[in-house]
Amino acid sequence: MTEQSPAPSPDDLSAGPADPEHDSTATYALDRSYVDRLTRRVVSTTGSTDAVFSPIGGTPLAHVPQSSAADVTEAFARARRAQASWADTPLDERAAALLRLHDLVLDRQEELIDLVVWESGKARKDAYLEVAHVALTARYYARTAHQHLDTRRVGGMFPVLTRAEVHRVPKGVVGIISPWNYPLTMALCDGLPALLAGNAVVSKPDAQTMLTALLGAELLEEAGLPSGLWQVVAGPGPEVGGAVVAAADYVCFTGSTATGRVIARQCAERLVGCSLELGGKNPMLVLRDADVHRAAEGATRAVFSNAGQLCVSMERLFVADQVYDRFVDAFVSRTQAMTLGASQDWSVDMGSLISQAQLDTVTRHVEDAVAKGARVLTGGRARPDLGPFVFEPTVLEGVSADMECFGKETFGPVVALYRFHGEDEAVDRANDGLYGLNASVWTRDAARGRALARRIRCGTVNVNEAYGATFGSLAAPMGGMRESGLGRRQGAEGIHRYTEAQSVATQRLVPIAPVLGMSEEVNARVMTSALRLLHRLGRA
Ligand code: NAD
């Protein structure tokens, strides 16, 4: 693989990054007044801060104020006050704020991308996709607001006599707990439909990517949201995230399956709803009639986008026997041609992992596989010369069930290649395991690909694309089957989760009870005749 010129790195990586609180010589990557402006938004009275470093050279970025449980309570109180009048704001005005956000994120994309790259170490092109996804989400929900939220007349019990309508009532204050891998889109996108539906939000982003989430909150206010409607708290997941779950009227969580289970239990105890967008071990299938070169190009995006730290990226690649060798040659040579680096430069194809913890997991999975007999076709090594957490895009062959990376999510730039002999076998192996988030099928016969997709137990399946086709189709729900989650983001499901359906039915002329002194027995006969008539008339 080609390499970017070495990124700035700390003098001694083994000693870890400099702590600016104790090292007066430390140089911050970002202007202090800019950081102060952003971090002032955290609801915090503790006086304590958390130091954040960039994966680009370990450069210090900020000290983020930390929230206590009492601060979370205060954030909910402020959000509740703002929500009451927001829910009464006409829907068109709420939608207009989302459209202004759409324009703002496109106008301010350079600033957003810079910050995302500093915080996450990802390639600039991956950061741009976050900007695009926020714009797509804002436009989709703004333009479909009435379709999803207007009061709807539905068939009543008896035609003419019973008038029934369904209202969409906001839940109140939604708690959003988000991960670090897509700091902008994960912090904002799930909140946009919540706001549009008349809710307020208390957001608890991951500690490693607070600044991007705070800039997102600033843009929401600039787009015209009343101040107070979007609160941000910061701190360790179990404590501060736990306090959010304890106070929210609905919880939207994105993160690991292990944490998802904890949150589901807490929500069950309180009888509040939640949506859980969790992990995956996603399969890609290359059928025997696939365009091998297109599939190989797609596979590099499917596997290595965001250095594989993407819930919908592919970690298992099943290839038909007839095209296996040709596909592997094309895929490996494309992988080797990728530019690797940790910098703000657009030329980087694959960026850094975000942290030492991610690097440790990826290294452990690769070393374990190799020790048990897997072959490395390309990659397989950390690259501290390029950045403290950079790991090469890695293709493995000969992975078996006794290896950690066979069934467990690596969440890094590592894929296992498997040969299959028939499509039934491919579907069975794709469906193997605990997860069911995303899949990808490559074939020249799109109709055949769509038919095969229906047999795969995943919440989204892309035909002749990696993940972008479903993820960017905002009208289509996105989420996981099995241990990949509960509920859906995007589409009607993505906004209705933040509402209570309230049905109001009005009865006219006659009650739903015996009339004119009719006995219960006669009433039952009249009712039976009415039911038979409605059936014959084809009524629902
Ligand atoms: P994580 O579960 O450790 O953390 C995610 C968020 O939850 C963070 O904000 C964290 O502070 C918070 N948190 C942690 N413990 C908590 C608790 N007990 N109570 C409340 N909040 C808590 O996840 P991670 O490892 O940081 O993120 C990577 C995982 O996220 C991967 O498994 C990935 O597949 C998944 N993910 C899924 C999607 C999706 O849409 N399905 C998208 C992105 C990431």
Side-chain angles (χ1 to χ4, degrees):
M1 74 217 52
T2 58
E3 289 153 16
Q4 257 251 313
S5 55
S9 61
D11 294 331
D12 180 2
L13 286 172
S14 62
D19 179 349
E21 228 158 30
H22 301 107
D23 177 2
S24 55
T25 63
T27 313
Y28 282 81
L30 300 165
D31 183 68
R32 290 300 289 271
S33 61
Y34 179 63
V35 170
D36 288 348
R37 190 184 88 206
L38 296 178
T39 55
R40 261 200 300 276
R41 284 184 178 273
V42 178
V43 183
S44 169
T45 55
T46 60
S48 65
T49 60
D50 181 42
V52 181
F53 300 91
S54 172
I56 301 182
T59 320
L61 288 180
H63 288 270
V64 177
Q66 299 293 283
S67 310
S68 62
D71 292 327
V72 175
T73 304
E74 172 60 20
F76 273 88
R78 290 183 198 171
R80 275 190 205 292
R81 282 196 293 276
Q83 191 264 337
S85 52
W86 177 246
D88 289 337
T89 303
L91 185 53
D92 286 333
E93 280 180 37
R94 288 186 252 149
L98 261 57
L99 289 175
R100 285 193 294 275
L101 179 76
H102 171 278
D103 293 346
L104 263 175
V105 294
L106 295 181
D107 292 347
R108 303 258 298 267
Q109 60 178 280
E110 288 302 321
E111 178 188 355
L112 283 163
I113 293 171
D114 283 351
L115 198 51
V116 168
V117 174
W118 275 122
E119 279 201 307
S120 66
K122 67 175 62 186
R124 225 171 153 73
K125 68 181 173 62
D126 292 325
Y128 170 73
L129 291 180
E130 299 207 44
V131 171
H133 192 244
V134 173
L136 277 169
T137 307
R139 175 164 52 84
Y140 167 73
Y141 278 116
R143 292 266 155 81
T144 55
H146 286 283
Q147 173 191 323
H148 296 311
L149 296 174
D150 279 354
T151 293
R152 202 162 44 93
R153 280 284 290 273
V154 294
M157 181 174 178
F158 293 113
V160 184
L161 302 180
T162 322
R163 169 200 159 116
E165 57 202 12
V166 181
H167 305 280
R168 289 283 166 185
V169 181
K171 294 258 185 188
V173 183
V174 172
I176 296 184
I177 300 176
S178 52
W180 44 263
N181 63 331
Y182 276 73
L184 181 67
T185 190
M186 289 297 148
L188 282 192
C189 286
D190 281 312
L192 301 182
L195 295 174
L196 188 71
N199 298 281
V201 167
V202 174
S203 155
K204 200 226 70 78
D206 191 274
Q208 296 164 94
T209 50
M210 285 299 304
L211 298 178
T212 305
L214 289 163
L215 178 55
E218 182 180 289
L219 293 182
L220 283 167
E221 216 167 282
E222 273 186 55
L225 285 189
S227 83
L229 198 64
W230 185 281
Q231 299 288 323
V232 183
V233 293
E239 293 78 25
V240 177
V244 169
V245 176
D249 300 315
Y250 184 87
V251 177
C252 169
F253 171 75
T254 306
S256 63
T257 297
T259 307
R261 278 187 214 288
V262 173
I263 288 176
R265 274 196 291 272
Q266 289 172 325
C267 288
E269 194 56 46
R270 295 189 54 231
L271 289 178
V272 300
C274 60
S275 54
L276 307 170
E277 306 288 347
L278 310 176
K281 189 76 190 173
N282 305 308
M284 170 166 159
L285 280 61
V286 181
L287 307 188
R288 65 170 188 268
D289 69 343
D291 177 331
V292 164
H293 290 282
R294 247 188 96 192
E297 186 278 324
T300 57
R301 278 182 287 115
V303 175
F304 303 123
S305 288
N306 215 39
Q309 303 166 115
L310 168 59
C311 56
V312 288
S313 69
M314 303 294 156
E315 297 194 356
R316 300 183 296 150
L317 233 164
F318 299 96
V319 186
D321 190 33
Q322 295 87 340
V323 291
Y324 186 89
D325 294 331
R326 278 196 298 132
F327 173 83
V328 172
D329 284 350
F331 177 47
V332 168
S333 65
R334 278 184 180 275
T335 302
Q336 287 169 339
M338 287 171 68
T339 307
L340 186 60
S343 82
Q344 290 282 357
D345 201 304
W346 277 103
S347 66
V348 172
D349 289 325
M350 195 187 93
S352 173
L353 298 170
I354 193 168
S355 62
Q356 187 65 46
Q358 282 303 110
L359 181 65
D360 290 346
T361 306
V362 171
T363 308
R364 195 182 70 242
H365 277 202
V366 172
E367 285 178 357
D368 167 73
V370 171
K372 291 173 180 161
R375 294 173 297 286
V376 178
L377 300 189
T378 185
R381 289 179 308 149
R383 294 295 301 271
D385 54 318
L386 298 177
F389 314 129
V390 175
F391 197 93
E392 292 177 342
T394 300
V395 181
L396 299 177
E397 208 178 35
V399 168
S400 53
D402 57 330
M403 302 174 189
E404 252 194 292
C405 69
F406 179 84
K408 285 195 184 146
E409 186 185 44
T410 306
F411 216 53
V414 180
V415 70
L417 286 172
Y418 305 96
R419 191 188 288 264
F420 70 81
H421 301 279
E423 281 169 22
D424 288 347
E425 179 202 341
V427 169
D428 285 350
R429 290 169 71 182
N431 286 337
D432 193 23
L434 303 172
Y435 294 112
L437 190 59
N438 182 44
S440 165
V441 178
W442 294 76
T443 168
R444 282 198 171 86
D445 182 347
R448 186 152 141 262
R450 284 193 292 274
L452 194 89
R454 300 286 306 276
R455 298 169 60 198
I456 298 179
R457 299 276 298 149
C458 283
T460 53
V461 186
N462 294 267
V463 178
N464 293 333
E465 192 35 78
Y467 57 86
T470 50
F471 211 79
S473 300
L474 266 292
M478 184 262 155
M481 296 185 184
R482 300 185 285 175
E483 295 197 9
S484 288
L486 282 180
R488 296 287 182 268
R489 57 164 59 110
Q490 306 193 166
E493 286 89 338
I495 189 163
H496 286 161
R497 63 185 158 157
Y498 299 125
T499 66
E500 300 283 4
Q502 184 196 40
S503 300
V504 176
T506 310
Q507 189 64 18
R508 286 187 273 226
L509 302 176
V510 291
I512 302 174
V515 286
L516 305 170
M518 198 185 273
S519 71
E520 289 289 354
E521 189 182 354
V522 171
N523 183 56
R525 281 204 294 276
V526 171
M527 182 83 165
T528 300
S529 303
L531 291 172
R532 290 204 164 108
L533 177 66
L534 290 171
H535 177 50
R536 273 202 298 278
L537 292 174
R539 301 283 303 200

